[in-house]
Amino acid sequence: MFDINKAVQELEQVHTSEQLESFFQTYLGKQGSLTLAFKDMASLSPEEKKEAGKVLSEAKTVIWSAYEAKEREISIQQINQQLQSDIVDISLEKEHIETGHYSLLAKVRREAEEICKSMGFVMEYGTDLVTKFENFESVNIPLSHPATEMQDTIYITEKDPRGESLILRTQTSSMQNYMIKKYGVPLRAVMPGKVYRYENMDATHDTMFYQLEWLVIDKDITIAHFKHIMDKLLEAILQTKVETRMRPGYFPFVEPGFEIDVRYEILDKATGEKHLSKWMEILGAGMIHPRVLELAGIDPKEYSGFAFWIGLSRLAAVRYGIKDIRYFTNGDLRFAKSF
Ligand code: PHE
């Protein structure tokens, strides 16, 4: 008699499609034992036929459904194996891939920008090409003024859409008029950006350099506000204790104007002791000239404010102890890679 249990047990041992095929041949194919068992029924007596028919057709149902379940199981297994072996591991690293990083100057600039934004300053870069009005006249430098000579720059032949001639800006102060008109008062603004000048290049001067300029306008703003905000900003940016002292200075768009000397705390890594650096002249500043406010449509009797700026390369040089600012832009990889 056909042994259904044996067939089911055998099927349980089947794990591959080859084994499944051979199981099929053994039981269900033309010469399979189940198929033959059905054929053999012909030689049985009617009584036996009835009995055997019942057993065999039950066996057929059980085995076929178990067979089909097995077939599905194996095909899912195969698909999964295929998916596994098709995986391309994109995380694998090739050797010697060089990844870039921000230049030291960009890093210091971005950190300073974040600090200013967190202190509620609006920020704009502006454009490198500006009108003579923006660069000079709007900040109280008539075109005949000697300061235009001091800040000589490149004059562009093409004109802007309004027909005004353009120059490469010599100072981020060229943004003051634009920022006041755009954002109105009260205003807390920071304008980082590239400026260009006719300069003899040396360790502390370059023909292109970055300025970081702040502009604050509100009612009743005094020099005390200015000093406090400047000190706080410098301490946040330089990440050390900072002292500032103010001397009179001249810039046409501020009155009074100041030159600011800065000294800061340095940690001597060898001894663990802190000491103060030498005084360094790295900032320019002043209370905004009434004329600058007027030119931007603000009543100087009602509002006052201050502006100050720092050379970004000087700032980075101070913070990282770099002696020559030309390293920032000359593309020397030994320098770039060491930060
Ligand atoms: N714009 C001036 C310069 O480049 C610097 C300055 C900015 C001075 C803001 C005072 C206030 O020389």
Side-chain angles (χ1 to χ4, degrees):
M1 198 60 214
F2 181 79
D3 187 346
I4 175 167
N5 286 335
K6 184 170 168 269
V8 171
Q9 271 165 22
E10 253 177 60
L11 191 57
E12 271 166 19
Q13 302 308 314
V14 164
H15 300 295
T16 66
S17 49
E18 289 78 22
Q19 290 168 343
L20 189 67
E21 174 62 22
S22 114
F23 176 87
F24 183 86
Q25 298 304 342
T26 313
Y27 291 97
L28 305 169
K30 270 192 190 143
Q31 300 301 316
S33 54
L34 186 60
T35 320
L36 295 178
F38 273 104
K39 281 190 183 154
D40 287 348
M41 284 200 324
S43 58
L44 298 176
S45 70
E47 261 315 290
E48 286 170 326
K49 237 185 223 169
K50 205 175 154 203
E51 183 58 22
K54 221 176 119 196
V55 175
L56 284 182
S57 50
E58 193 193 315
K60 190 177 169 189
T61 319
V62 171
I63 291 173
W64 266 105
S65 81
Y67 172 84
E68 279 165 2
K70 196 50 125 178
E71 198 175 30
R72 274 197 300 277
E73 188 186 307
I74 289 176
S75 91
I76 287 171
Q77 240 169 44
Q78 280 174 341
I79 291 169
N80 283 339
Q81 272 165 8
Q82 187 69 31
L83 286 175
Q84 277 297 329
S85 63
D86 281 354
I87 284 177
V88 178
D89 185 354
I90 54 167
S91 71
L92 270 187
E93 264 181 43
K94 254 175 92 184
E95 270 176 72
H96 307 307
I97 290 184
E98 294 237 4
T99 46
H101 61 83
Y102 288 120
S103 74
L104 185 55
L105 216 47
K107 202 176 127 194
V108 172
R109 175 174 56 75
R110 292 170 74 95
E111 278 172 19
E113 287 169 6
E114 285 314 310
I115 290 166
C116 298
K117 282 196 259 175
S118 75
M119 290 172 77
F121 283 77
V122 289
M123 181 183 92
E124 285 212 27
Y125 295 120
T127 51
D128 290 9
L129 284 173
V130 296
T131 62
K132 287 190 226 169
F133 172 78
E134 287 166 325
N135 198 76
F136 296 122
E137 292 169 292
S138 77
V139 281
N140 199 31
I141 309 175
L143 293 177
S144 58
H145 195 283
T148 59
E149 195 90 349
M150 266 156 46
Q151 298 190 3
D152 206 0
T153 180
I154 291 177
Y155 287 69
I156 309 293
T157 36
E158 276 101 80
K159 302 211 178 324
D160 83 348
R162 290 159 299 179
E164 297 204 44
S165 49
L166 295 167
I167 59 172
L168 280 174
R169 66 179 176 191
T170 63
Q171 49 184 357
T172 41
S173 303
S174 58
M175 292 282 287
Q176 289 189 5
N177 186 272
Y178 167 83
M179 293 299 272
I180 302 171
K181 283 182 182 155
K182 176 161 176 185
Y183 293 98
V185 287
L187 176 67
R188 259 182 294 176
V190 58
M191 298 95 77
K194 279 183 196 166
V195 300
Y196 304 82
R197 283 192 202 173
Y198 176 74
E199 289 279 5
N200 285 322
M201 287 166 75
D202 62 23
T204 52
H205 295 88
D206 205 339
T207 52
M208 185 283 287
F209 58 101
Y210 284 86
Q211 289 189 333
L212 198 55
E213 177 158 341
W214 291 268
L215 180 64
V216 174
I217 303 174
D218 206 337
K219 288 185 174 154
D220 305 319
I221 292 281
T222 68
I223 296 173
H225 294 120
F226 157 59
K227 183 162 171 12
H228 179 75
I229 290 182
M230 173 181 65
D231 288 358
K232 286 285 161 258
L233 270 168
L234 286 175
E235 289 194 336
I237 293 171
L238 288 170
Q239 289 173 11
T240 177
K241 239 178 127 227
V242 170
E243 280 178 35
T244 53
R245 73 179 179 198
M246 297 154 77
R247 290 178 287 111
Y250 174 71
F251 303 99
F253 42 89
V254 286
E255 180 56 41
F258 314 108
E259 306 267 5
I260 313 286
D261 300 328
V262 176
R263 67 176 179 185
Y264 56 99
E265 215 164 59
I266 305 173
L267 175 70
D268 186 329
K269 285 201 183 107
T271 63
E273 275 170 32
K274 288 178 180 169
H275 62 93
L276 283 170
S277 71
K278 280 196 227 128
W279 286 108
M280 283 177 311
E281 185 200 319
I282 55 173
L283 288 134
M287 304 309 285
I288 298 169
H289 195 289
R291 181 86 189 115
V292 172
L293 292 171
E294 266 166 17
L295 283 166
I298 304 296
D299 182 356
K301 288 196 202 70
E302 210 183 334
Y303 283 93
S304 55
F306 57 83
F308 64 109
W309 77 282
I310 191 165
L312 196 70
S313 5
R314 295 268 173 90
L315 188 74
V318 167
R319 191 160 144 201
Y320 289 91
I322 288 146
K323 300 275 180 295
D324 189 329
I325 64 163
R326 285 170 293 190
Y327 276 120
F328 289 126
T329 45
N330 73 1
D332 187 333
L333 282 179
R334 288 168 306 176
F335 178 82
K337 281 179 180 167
S338 51
F339 294 99

